[in-house]
Amino acid sequence: MKIIKFIISLLFGLMFINAGLDKFLHYMPMPKLTPEQMKIFDAFNQLHWLMPLVGAVEVIGGLLFIFPKTRALGAIVILPVMVGIVLHVFTIDKSQMGMSIAGVLFLINIWMIIDNKDKYKALLK
């Protein structure tokens, strides 16, 4: 089970590192956007600091998620980005592929948070 958890965490982390680096380097092609999505992305681009911040959180969170010692922190760092992804995909995008990928990634993130719940106890005292 330890090997499976590491492989899943590695893939999860690499996906977020890739997504974060793309926010800086723009090497992945942009999918065709609906008019509503264009408005949202135009608004995001008006805030020049937002996408670099999200990209940095994705890269840092992805790196933290890969290593067992920092996985609990990585899961918490990635959680707000993951919630944003899930909300966007399930309310605006609504593509079957996007929903399935976001759903699986969200479940992996929640699994790691639950798996590391003992590490969070000191924060809740």
Side-chain angles (χ1 to χ4, degrees):
M1 186 65 173
K2 200 173 186 180
I3 301 273
I4 292 171
K5 191 188 304 183
F6 175 74
I7 291 170
I8 289 172
S9 297
L10 177 65
L11 294 174
F12 182 95
L14 289 174
M15 286 185 75
F16 275 94
I17 292 167
N18 182 48
L21 289 176
D22 184 58
K23 301 226 177 11
F24 296 106
L25 304 174
H26 309 291
Y27 54 86
M28 290 192 300
M30 189 77 159
K32 186 160 171 56
L33 301 175
T34 65
E36 188 176 1
Q37 289 173 319
M38 285 292 288
K39 278 201 245 178
I40 291 168
F41 283 107
D42 286 341
F44 286 162
N45 288 330
Q46 293 295 318
L47 301 169
H48 300 290
W49 53 267
L50 184 62
M51 282 303 164
L53 175 65
V54 172
V57 168
E58 288 176 341
V59 170
I60 292 166
L63 285 170
L64 291 169
F65 204 92
I66 291 172
F67 303 103
K69 284 190 176 204
T70 58
R71 192 169 294 143
L73 179 59
I76 293 297
V77 168
I78 289 287
L79 185 63
V81 175
M82 194 70 245
V83 168
I85 292 167
V86 168
L87 288 174
H88 175 78
V89 169
F90 281 87
T91 59
I92 295 170
D93 185 21
K94 297 181 182 172
S95 71
Q96 292 290 8
M97 180 67 79
M99 283 190 226
S100 60
I101 292 171
V104 168
L105 290 176
F106 186 69
L107 289 175
I108 291 169
N109 196 192
I110 296 300
W111 172 34
M112 292 305 157
I113 288 172
I114 291 169
D115 193 50
N116 290 291
K117 68 180 179 280
D118 294 336
K119 294 180 181 179
Y120 307 126
K121 286 184 180 176
L123 296 173
L124 299 173
K125 287 184 180 180

